[in-house]
Amino acid sequence: MMQTTSETRTEDEGTAVEAGTKATERFAQSVKRSAPGTASKERVSLLAGEMIKAANDLVHKHQVTYDEYNALKAWLIKVGTDGEWPLFLDVWLEHSVEEVNSVDRPGTVGAIEGPFYVPNSPVLQTPGTLEMREDEQGTPLQFKGHFTNTDGEPIRNAQVEIWHADAAGFYSQYAPGLPEWLFRGTVMADETGYFEIATMRPAPYQIPTDGACGELIAAAGWHAWRPAHIHLRVSAPGYQPVIQQLYFPGDPHNEDDIASAVKPELMLDPQPRTDGGVGEEGVYNYVLAKEGQTK
Ligand code: MBD
Ligand code: FE
């Protein structure tokens, strides 16, 4: 596959089907896909039953026509053939799952993972620099902070897995022509819990518009934007990991994120660097809960 520079890339080099198919394959291989049959019969019957009932109630409430029913059928089929079930679910449902499952965890708040995490990214020691191209577009961002536990004590052996899109809105490994680990890395904090990562500030992000999800957005007259964001998974031995995103104050899409995944606690507020370096620096400090610790 041809490797391009950030300047020669154009928007149409990555397609919804490419990103969707990759996300679907990755999910199928991941540990998250627990074997069928692990949910109890009672639980499946309850949840599937109520979901089906809710759909039937909608048909009656809104007098759904056969044309509308067939449009739905065609669209659901296309979500599958475009590989966009991960995208659809992570954009329109995961935020509720994340909210429900993090209410009892003390410490730094989390956010949805989304469809584009890749495990086992290259390990870097603090201060680490994420892989980028020589002519990478955007504002350099120095991202740093400390890890402590809920008693305020520094945490040892903490790590920050980080991934984000490039300035054109593409994630490495989900669009062609990008370096494999572009803007992805696992940065180890030092023994005091301090970490420092050199990257670029990402741009606002539009979910793929040329697949089934984009078709729904266009048909409904919605928009496809997420605010600029950095994805993170922070962890340390003996502590509960936090999957998170950080956003930037003032982004117009902080208020209308298509994925409903912005929280006020998740703002990184980078300032011009004071140490003579180029670009900005942003601080975010993590408080992790011990394994089994609840509020
Ligand atoms: C993304 O980058 C993302 O973070 C989410 C939640 C959905 C689609 C693309
Ligand atoms: Fe994202």
Side-chain angles (χ1 to χ4, degrees), residues 11-33:
E11 291 287 340
D12 58 19
E13 281 178 290
T15 66
V17 173
E18 269 161 340
T21 303
K22 196 69 198 290
T24 298
E25 277 168 13
R26 280 218 187 266
F27 180 77
Q29 292 160 4
S30 83
V31 293
K32 286 184 291 184
R33 185 184 168 282

Side-chain angles (χ1 to χ4, degrees), residues 87 90-91 112-116 171 205 207 226 229 231 245 259:
L87 180 65
D90 294 350
V91 165
I112 67 173
E113 179 177 317
F116 299 146
Y171 283 83
Y205 174 86
I207 73 160
R226 299 211 62 219
H229 60 281
H231 293 271
Q245 298 183 36

Side-chain angles (χ1 to χ4, degrees), residues 112-210:
I112 67 173
E113 179 177 317
F116 299 146
Y117 171 70
V118 179
N120 306 314
S121 59
V123 175
L124 305 163
Q125 300 300 319
T126 281
T129 300
L130 299 189
E131 180 170 351
M132 21 189 145
R133 293 157 290 190
E134 270 179 23
D135 62 341
E136 203 64 59
Q137 305 293 296
T139 305
L141 172 65
Q142 205 74 14
F143 169 51
K144 55 193 182 179
H146 279 94
F147 281 90
T148 56
N149 62 25
T150 56
D151 296 325
E153 298 159 344
I155 294 177
R156 293 172 150 276
N157 298 317
Q159 63 173 47
V160 180
E161 289 174 87
I162 177 169
W163 68 104
H164 64 79
D166 70 5
F170 291 104
Y171 283 83
S172 58
Q173 303 190 36
Y174 293 89
L178 298 182
E180 185 176 16
W181 297 105
L182 178 76
F183 295 131
R184 293 180 183 275
T186 301
V187 179
M188 308 305 298
D190 68 17
E191 60 287 346
T192 69
Y194 176 73
F195 69 90
E196 190 175 324
I197 304 168
T199 186
M200 307 286 282
R201 193 203 254 249
Y205 174 86
Q206 215 175 3
I207 73 160
T209 52
D210 57 324

